[in-house]
């Protein structure tokens, strides 16, 4: 029996599963270090406050008016949007970045294009790691079915090898699930590290993506009740995110001298 305050080997493996997947997911947000000079507690506080108030308001409306499908529908809608946001970013990203670069002065465009490798690297890691993992899992499963399951390694070694490979297969798939769940939030918050291209790009990205998500999932998860409540629930999120994005752009302009059509480095206001 494990003593109080000590962890069992199984608990250690579970902790390692989550910590390694979390570390890999957090690495995808490397732009936060590159943009540390533009970081400010005020921006993080307003973003966090908006997320908190939005969550509280959503639950309050659903509690008062209900929603079709109940709370399970709310959870499903939230998870769907979590995984849909990165996909919308990937689809809309090239269009937004192309428009952003074309909107910039000609002398700044080469520098913006040069830094595109960082968002591309993030997209490659976000998509490539799960695809590689699924490919490896398919290979292991094929190995089990083709060579191990027929007990070609004997009646003792075969079952043990099948059990060992199945254990690693399930563990690997769980690790991938945790990684994709955590990484989806990271890449959505950092807009696939587009801030390395230009500090104002994530704010522009966020506003466009939230409206796109709203159009894609139009009407999903809305509370029952009067039309005014449904309109408020439908437009409240995108409007509040757009307002914060506009405030963030103004903050970068007034505090650091960084403008949408200006260079990625400005000056700190005295």
């Amino acid at each position: 029996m494990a003593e109080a305050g000590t962890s069992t080997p199984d608990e250690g493996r579970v902790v390692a599963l989550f910590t390694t997947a979390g570390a890999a997911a957090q690495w995808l947000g490397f732009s936060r270090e590159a943009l540390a000079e533009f970081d400010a507690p005020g921006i993080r506080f307003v973003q966090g406050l908006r997320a908190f108030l939005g969550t509280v308001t959503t639950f309050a409306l659903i509690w008062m008016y209900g929603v079709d499908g109940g709370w399970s529908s709310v959870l499903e809608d939230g998870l769907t949007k979590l995984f849909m946001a990165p996909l919308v970013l990937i689809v809309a990203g090239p269009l937004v970045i192309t428009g952003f670069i074309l909107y910039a002065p000609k002398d700044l465009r080469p520098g913006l294009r040069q830094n595109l490798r960082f968002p591309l690297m993030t997209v490659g890691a976000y998509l490539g790691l799960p695809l590689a993992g699924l490919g490896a899992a398919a290979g292991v499963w094929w190995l089990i079915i083709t060579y191990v399951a027929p007990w070609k390694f004997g009646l003792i070694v075969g079952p043990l090898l099948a059990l060992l490979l199945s254990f690693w297969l399930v563990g690997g798939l769980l690790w991938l699930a945790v990684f994709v769940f955590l990484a989806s939030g990271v890449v959505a918050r950092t807009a696939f590290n587009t801030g390395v291209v230009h500090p104002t790009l994530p704010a522009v990205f966020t506003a466009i993506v939230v409206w796109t998500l709203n159009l894609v999932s139009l009407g999903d998860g809305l509370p029952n009740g009067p039309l005014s409540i449904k309109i408020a629930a439908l437009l409240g999120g995108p409007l509040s995110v757009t307002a914060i994005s506009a405030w963030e752009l103004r903050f970068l302009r007034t505090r650091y001298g960084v403008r949408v059509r200006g260079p990625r480095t400005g000056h700190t206001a005295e």
Side-chain angles (χ1 to χ4, degrees):
M1 180 180 296
E3 298 180 0
T6 62
S7 60
T8 64
D10 290 339
E11 291 174 343
R13 295 189 187 97
V14 173
V15 171
L17 174 74
F18 280 93
T19 53
T20 55
Q26 290 300 319
W27 176 84
L28 292 179
F30 60 82
S31 66
R32 285 172 293 194
E33 295 182 3
L35 298 175
E37 60 180 305
F38 303 112
D39 194 15
I43 293 179
R44 295 196 302 270
F45 173 77
V46 173
Q47 291 173 339
L49 181 63
R50 192 216 70 83
F52 173 75
L53 293 179
T55 302
V56 171
T57 303
T58 299
F59 276 90
L61 290 174
I62 294 173
W63 183 270
M64 292 175 60
Y65 297 101
V67 64
D68 295 336
W71 290 103
S72 60
S73 176
V74 177
L75 177 61
E76 181 181 351
D77 181 63
L79 291 175
T80 299
K81 288 181 178 178
L82 173 65
F83 291 107
M84 192 183 297
L87 297 179
V88 172
L89 280 168
I90 293 172
V91 174
L95 298 176
V96 176
I97 292 177
T98 300
F100 189 92
I101 293 177
L102 292 177
Y103 183 66
K106 290 184 178 181
D107 59 316
L108 298 179
R109 293 174 189 174
L112 297 176
R113 288 194 294 264
Q114 183 181 5
N115 288 327
L116 287 177
R117 66 183 184 275
F118 295 106
L120 291 175
M121 182 172 61
T122 308
V123 173
Y126 176 74
L127 296 179
L129 188 57
L131 289 177
L134 291 176
V140 172
W141 180 250
W142 175 82
L143 184 66
I144 294 174
I145 296 298
T146 305
Y147 293 101
V148 181
W151 314 132
K152 292 184 179 181
F153 294 91
L155 295 179
I156 297 179
V157 177
L160 291 177
L161 185 59
L163 182 63
L164 179 63
L165 291 175
S166 299
F167 172 79
W168 284 106
L169 179 63
V170 172
L173 291 176
L174 287 175
W175 189 94
L176 278 179
V178 174
F179 169 78
V180 171
F181 178 80
L182 297 176
S184 296
V186 172
V187 297
R189 288 194 301 271
T190 62
F192 283 99
N193 295 307
T194 52
V196 180
V197 179
H198 196 279
T200 62
L201 191 49
V204 176
F205 236 110
T206 302
I208 294 176
V209 167
V210 74
W211 282 103
T212 305
L213 272 174
N214 222 41
L215 291 176
V216 171
S217 59
L218 187 62
D220 291 346
L222 290 181
N224 299 320
L227 179 61
S228 58
I229 294 297
K230 292 185 176 181
I231 293 176
L234 179 65
L235 299 180
L239 286 175
S240 60
V241 170
T242 303
I244 291 178
S245 296
W247 178 81
E248 186 175 349
L249 292 175
R250 182 180 180 277
F251 182 87
L252 289 171
R253 185 180 70 252
T254 57
R255 178 73 176 271
Y256 299 104
V258 177
R259 301 175 181 270
V260 173
R261 300 192 75 242
R264 70 175 308 276
T265 57
H267 63 274
T268 303
E270 297 295 340

